[in-house]
Each structure stands twice: as structure tokens, then as C-alpha cells.
Amino acid sequence: MSSAAPPPPAPPAPDDRMPGGGGPRGSGDGSGDAWASGGLALGGTLMVVYGLFAVLQGIAAIADDEVYTSFGDYVFEFDLTAWGWIHLIVGVLLVAAGFGLFTGATWARMVGAVVVGLALIANFMWLPYQPFWSIIMIVTGLFVLWSVFNYRSTRAV
């Protein structure tokens, strides 16, 4: 009679206390996607809100050139009506891409990344007119870009 040796014991399951284990920032088990997914939802919400503010900002600049004043002389100075149209168009595109992010659509991530990039440039150029607001929107746009590029879908393709 030959008896088979028992199988070796299974390695211990990783937990949050082990380096490289699971948890919110663990590696390899997909749990880090929860952070990126939450970031993507927040990014979509911020895109919609920022888009709505950009639309209102554009309407104010188009309607009356006296709403905004410049805080000094800069190399780049543009007509406020032109800036109003730029903000209006970028705002509408941001709202559309932000709503698309809620569905997890790939097109929304790509369009959102491009439009947020354009919004970052526009807000940098908008610094002479609204410096504090522009800085807030630049930082917000950078977070949105991080969340859009950092998201990895766990759905099977």
C-alpha cells in the first residue's frame, strides 16, 4: 500500500499589514481600481461643474467686456469677447465629456483629456483677468487629467 504524501500547505493570503499585500493601494489584486474609479467619478463631476462655470464665464465675457479687468500688462492679451467664445465652447465640451465619464465611455475619457488639456491652456492664458480662479481651475484640471489617465477598467473587453 502506498500512501500519497499530503499536499504542502498553501501560502498565507496577503493582507493589509503585509508589504505588497492587498488593500486600497495594494498591487495586483485590482483593489486600487476603487481609488481610480472614485477619482474618475469625482473627475466627471468636476468636469461638469467646471464646464458649467466656463459656460457662465464665457457668457459674461461675451455679454459685457467691462465684467473682467486685466491685472497688469502681459505678453498675451486677447479680446475679451474672443475669450468668452473660447470659454463657452470649452465649457460645453467639458459638460458633454463629463457626462460621458459617468457611463465609463472610452470616447469620453479621450475627449475629456483633450478638452481638459485645452482648458488648462486657456486658464493659463486667462491668468491676467482672473488669477485666483485660473489657478484653482488649473489645479482642478490636473486632478481630472490624473483621474482620467489613471483609471483602469476591470470589465472584460
Side-chain angles (χ1 to χ4, degrees):
M1 274 192 153
S2 68
S3 67
D15 66 22
D16 290 338
R17 292 170 285 180
M18 293 178 62
R25 293 192 181 128
S27 60
D29 66 349
S31 62
D33 286 341
W35 283 84
S37 179
L40 189 66
L42 180 61
T45 303
L46 289 173
M47 281 176 70
V48 170
V49 170
Y50 171 64
L52 292 175
F53 281 137
V55 166
L56 294 175
Q57 193 175 13
I59 290 171
I62 292 168
D64 189 10
D65 281 351
E66 303 301 318
V67 173
Y68 298 109
T69 60
S70 181
F71 289 104
D73 291 329
Y74 289 86
V75 173
F76 48 90
E77 288 189 32
F78 300 99
D79 179 44
L80 281 175
T81 304
W83 272 117
W85 282 105
I86 290 170
H87 281 286
L88 183 69
I89 292 167
V90 168
V92 168
L93 292 173
L94 281 170
V95 169
F99 280 125
L101 280 180
F102 294 135
T103 65
T106 303
W107 69 264
R109 289 178 47 216
M110 295 305 127
V111 169
V114 170
V115 174
V116 169
L118 292 173
L120 287 172
I121 294 168
N123 278 304
F124 176 76
M125 304 286 281
W126 190 249
L127 277 169
Y129 303 103
Q130 291 289 314
F132 186 69
W133 182 253
S134 293
I135 291 170
I136 290 173
M137 289 296 100
I138 288 170
V139 171
T140 303
L142 290 174
F143 175 76
V144 170
L145 279 179
W146 173 85
S147 65
V148 166
F149 285 128
N150 204 27
Y151 175 73
R152 302 285 186 260
S153 176
T154 57
R155 294 183 294 181
V157 177

